[in-house]
């Protein structure tokens, strides 16, 4: 298996799950330039990360990759406790993270993609920060009395939330007062698989403010 990533980008969630599964894998470090080159676009026409290549199967989309990895290792229980409700709970949060929270970061990282008039960039970013903050408040409320998004058991949704929590620093979204979220982030930060994936990506502060997520 081969994971194409940018340091600290949403691809870090898949990287953490590969570590959790003790799955043999390689990583390919990409940049904003190399993801737009014909060779990469030939395997991923979206020109984004993550991309997971498993034998002859090239898979894009964070939610699909996380689900695929979890399904390859059902014994790890990373999409719930095996009940329809448990699975639905994990999918609920994955959907929220992907279609609401992740999307709301995009105008902060790259306002020019959303505006004709660049003089309004700061206003757009401020509005997007409000949306991001509101979504984190909802996640914080959900995490009250729960160790993980899905309940007592960690799942593929947790690394995705953790990655976006890391973005709050570089994007200046203040979530320091959200206690349940902070506890969750501390738990993830202490995890050896998380630490290994981060160390491999050599994440530095500047990469968290990359302009094109
Ligand atoms: N829908 C895709 C979005 C992936 C995405 O936005 N990736 C960002 C990094 S977090 C990226 O590659 N951005 C470069 C670009 O959009 O040109 C997913 O969920 O995997």
């Amino acid at each position: 298996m081969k994971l194409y990533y940018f340091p600290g980008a949403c691809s870090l969630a898949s990287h953490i799950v590969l570590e959790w599964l003790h799955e043999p894998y390689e990583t390919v470090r990409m940049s904003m330039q190399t993801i737009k080159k014909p060779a990469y676009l030939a395997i991923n026409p979206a020109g984004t990360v993550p991309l997971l290549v498993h034998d002859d199967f090239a898979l894009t989309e964070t939610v699909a990759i996380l689900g695929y990895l979890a399904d390859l290792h059902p014994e790890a229980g990373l999409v719930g406790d095996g009940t329809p409700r448990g699975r639905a709970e994990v999918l609920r949060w994955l959907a929220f993270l992907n279609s609401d929270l992740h999307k709301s970061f995009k105008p902060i990282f790259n306002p020019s993609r959303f505006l004709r008039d660049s003089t309004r960039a700061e206003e757009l970013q401020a509005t997007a920060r409000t949306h991001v903050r509101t979504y984190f408040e909802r996640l914080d409320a959900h995490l009250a009395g729960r160790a993980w998004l899905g309940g007592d058991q960690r799942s593929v949704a947790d690394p995705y939330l953790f990655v976006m929590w890391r973005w709050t620093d570089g994007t200046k979204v203040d979530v320091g007062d959200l206690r349940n979220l902070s506890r969750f982030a501390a738990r993830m930060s202490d995890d050896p698989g998380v630490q290994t994936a981060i160390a491999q990506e050599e994440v530095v502060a500047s990469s968290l403010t990359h302009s094109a997520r």
Side-chain angles (χ1 to χ4, degrees):
M1 276 204 203
K2 211 184 262 189
L3 178 71
Y4 292 73
Y5 76 99
F6 290 160
C10 51
S11 41
L12 177 58
S14 302
H15 198 165
I16 291 170
V17 170
L18 284 166
E19 278 297 316
W20 279 358
L21 294 174
H22 306 292
E23 176 76 39
Y25 66 92
E26 293 168 38
T27 53
V28 184
R29 187 180 180 126
M30 304 300 288
S31 68
M32 273 310 287
Q33 288 71 39
T34 56
I35 56 168
K36 306 300 177 194
K37 298 257 188 215
Y40 186 69
L41 293 174
I43 30 177
N44 177 8
T48 54
V49 292
L51 164 68
L52 183 80
V53 177
H54 188 194
D55 300 329
D56 61 346
F57 185 40
L59 185 61
T60 57
E61 295 303 320
T62 301
V63 172
I65 292 170
L66 293 174
Y68 180 69
L69 291 174
D71 285 346
L72 287 179
H73 291 271
E75 74 290 350
L78 290 180
V79 273
D81 58 6
T83 65
R85 279 192 189 201
R87 186 178 182 84
E89 198 59 43
V90 173
L91 292 180
R92 176 219 298 266
W93 293 108
L94 270 183
F96 177 72
L97 295 172
N98 190 239
S99 60
D100 294 326
L101 185 58
H102 191 164
K103 280 275 179 239
S104 296
F105 272 102
K106 290 188 180 263
I108 311 178
F109 285 126
N110 201 343
S112 62
R113 280 194 186 168
F114 298 84
L115 287 172
R116 284 201 197 133
D117 177 2
S118 62
T119 62
R120 302 193 63 192
E122 279 182 27
E123 184 189 340
L124 175 67
Q125 287 173 312
T127 306
R129 278 190 194 95
T130 309
H131 288 299
V132 168
R133 163 81 198 189
T134 303
Y135 290 137
F136 275 116
E137 283 171 7
R138 182 162 165 215
L139 289 155
D140 182 69
H142 175 72
L143 285 168
R146 289 184 180 87
W148 308 105
L149 280 174
D152 299 335
Q153 192 175 314
R154 72 183 186 181
S155 74
V156 289
D158 298 304
Y160 197 11
L161 169 57
F162 177 66
V163 167
M164 290 192 277
W165 169 83
R166 297 181 85 236
W167 294 350
T168 59
D169 194 26
T171 54
K172 299 188 175 54
V173 178
D174 187 3
V175 291
D177 59 320
L178 302 180
R179 298 276 179 83
N180 304 311
L181 184 68
S182 300
R183 272 194 287 271
F184 166 85
R187 194 172 301 116
M188 287 293 290
S189 301
D190 286 344
D191 181 277
V194 171
Q195 289 173 359
T196 304
I198 291 173
Q200 278 182 13
E201 294 195 1
E202 297 168 350
V203 174
V204 289
S206 61
S207 72
L208 300 177
T209 57
H210 201 290
S211 64
R213 287 195 188 99

